[in-house]
Amino acid sequence: MNEAIDKMRKKVKKYLDKDRYIHTLGVMYTAGALAMRWGADLDQALIAGLLHDCAKCIPNDKKIRMCRKNGITVSPAEEANPSLLHAKLGAYLAAKKYHIRDRGILSAITCHTTGKPQMSLLDKILYIADYIEPNRAQLPNMAKARRLAFEDIDECLYMLLKDSLVYLNSRGLPVDPATERTYVYYKDYLKKEED
Ligand SMILES: [Fe+2]
Ligand SMILES: [Fe+2]
């Protein structure tokens, strides 16, 4: 890992609780491994993984205040579940506090919880790494997701989107419309027949 990334690692550690930091390192290295597999830029993937949850441990009311203060829109779904805001607030902090200018990294951080239609390779790598990193609690289909991530990245993405929607709907949790849009886009893109 280069010196600049290691400096960022030390800084982000101060803003995360222990479990979130361990998760963060898992996402960083998993994103790095996926970048090696799929030919993405390794440093971009490591930085995106390292910073993706940099806003996660900010209290929810503060997240909303920080978004409003800095002109970041808060949707009704985000108002109901402010934890969702950590993605766009994280991209804002990555630019502001960690001086990231790379639009690809900022995009990946912004869409890491919901995805978006027409995701870039880096967007997909971060979204998937966040789910499959080694410290994640076992999710349904985890073994398959971990294998697919290295075999067919779009199939992996689609399966994770679908599983997230099933999980949120089964628990009556709010679904961000962006997740729904991403799912519909990739269902069509991959010509899936199922509901
Ligand atoms: Fe996150
Ligand atoms: Fe995460």
Side-chain angles (χ1 to χ4, degrees):
M1 192 190 311
N2 75 40
E3 215 177 301
I5 299 178
D6 201 44
K7 229 172 129 182
M8 259 182 250
R9 180 187 62 77
K10 287 179 183 141
K11 182 169 172 176
V12 80
K13 187 177 184 209
K14 292 187 212 156
Y15 295 95
L16 301 175
D17 62 36
K18 189 169 165 251
D19 286 352
R20 188 57 45 181
Y21 179 64
I22 290 170
H23 162 72
T24 288
L25 293 184
V27 175
M28 178 176 76
Y29 287 120
T30 303
L34 289 170
M36 292 175 195
R37 166 64 181 91
W38 297 108
D41 184 273
L42 180 57
D43 282 354
Q44 271 190 324
L46 292 173
I47 294 169
L50 182 59
L51 298 181
H52 82 288
D53 272 346
C54 70
K56 184 84 179 185
C57 294
I58 297 170
N60 279 343
D61 55 338
K62 194 173 173 192
K63 281 193 193 85
I64 293 185
R65 278 204 308 281
M66 285 174 80
C67 284
R68 298 224 160 103
K69 194 176 155 208
N70 294 293
I72 302 167
T73 48
V74 179
S75 71
E78 289 162 340
E79 181 120 37
N81 183 10
S83 173
L84 291 170
L85 286 170
H86 80 276
K88 38 189 178 177
L89 190 57
Y92 171 81
L93 293 175
K96 184 100 175 160
K97 303 282 184 199
Y98 296 85
H99 314 294
I100 301 300
R101 297 287 169 263
D102 184 311
R103 284 174 183 274
I105 294 173
L106 299 178
S107 160
I109 296 174
T110 304
C111 71
H112 86 263
T113 53
T114 61
K116 65 179 181 188
Q118 294 182 288
M119 290 163 84
S120 70
L121 177 58
L122 186 64
D123 294 338
K124 292 174 192 173
I125 284 174
L126 182 59
Y127 183 92
I128 291 169
D130 195 24
Y131 271 90
I132 67 165
E133 65 94 4
N135 309 292
R136 267 285 190 205
Q138 281 298 316
L139 301 166
N141 296 327
M142 183 60 107
K144 190 177 175 193
R146 285 179 171 149
R147 179 171 51 76
L148 266 183
F150 291 88
E151 285 177 5
D152 189 330
I153 198 166
D154 285 335
E155 282 292 337
C156 180
L157 176 68
Y158 175 73
M159 191 179 83
L160 293 176
L161 285 162
K162 195 172 148 201
D163 287 355
S164 306
L165 286 173
V166 168
Y167 173 83
L168 293 170
N169 288 326
S170 72
R171 282 175 175 65
L173 295 168
V175 174
D176 193 303
T179 307
E180 191 80 47
R181 272 200 304 277
T182 311
Y183 168 72
V184 169
Y185 175 86
Y186 281 98
K187 185 180 168 198
D188 186 51
Y189 179 78
L190 296 169
K191 302 193 175 14
K192 297 286 181 185
E193 297 297 331
E194 71 250 29
D195 292 328

